[in-house]
Amino acid sequence: MPGDMMNVVQMCGVCKTEIATIQVKKENMMLSTRAQLWCPTCQAQRPEIRDAAGRLTAIQQEVETYPRIDAS
Ligand SMILES: [Zn+2]
C-alpha cells in the first residue's frame, strides 16, 4: 500500500524529550525497540521509546468525553 506511512515520535525513555520524528510504513511500525538514542537533555544514551505522532492530539480531543487512561 503506497502512501500508507505514519509519523512516529522518538523520545527519550527517561525524560520523555522528543528527539526526532520519523516516518515509517504502518506495517513496519514498532513502538517498542531496544535502540538507544542520544538524549540532549540527559546528556546520555537512553533507551528509545516511540509513540505514534498525532495520537496524543487525538486523545486530547477525546478527553472531554472519556477519562484519560495512562497505560504506562
Ligand atoms: Zn532524556
Side-chain angles (χ1 to χ4, degrees), residues 24-67:
V24 295
K25 284 187 179 177
K26 229 171 190 173
E27 67 254 33
N28 292 339
M29 187 185 74
M30 292 191 306
L31 290 180
S32 60
T33 76
R34 293 180 189 176
Q36 299 257 311
L37 287 176
W38 174 260
C39 174
T41 304
C42 297
Q43 293 286 299
Q45 291 281 343
R46 294 303 197 196
E48 171 197 47
I49 57 173
R50 295 184 176 186
D51 204 352
R55 199 170 75 180
L56 290 176
T57 306
I59 290 171
Q60 283 164 358
Q61 286 169 348
E62 291 183 14
V63 85
E64 291 173 17
T65 315
Y66 303 103

Side-chain angles (χ1 to χ4, degrees), residues 11-17 19 38-44 46:
M11 290 183 290
C12 170
V14 176
C15 70
K16 309 292 195 291
T17 294
I19 294 170
W38 174 260
C39 174
T41 304
C42 297
Q43 293 286 299
R46 294 303 197 196

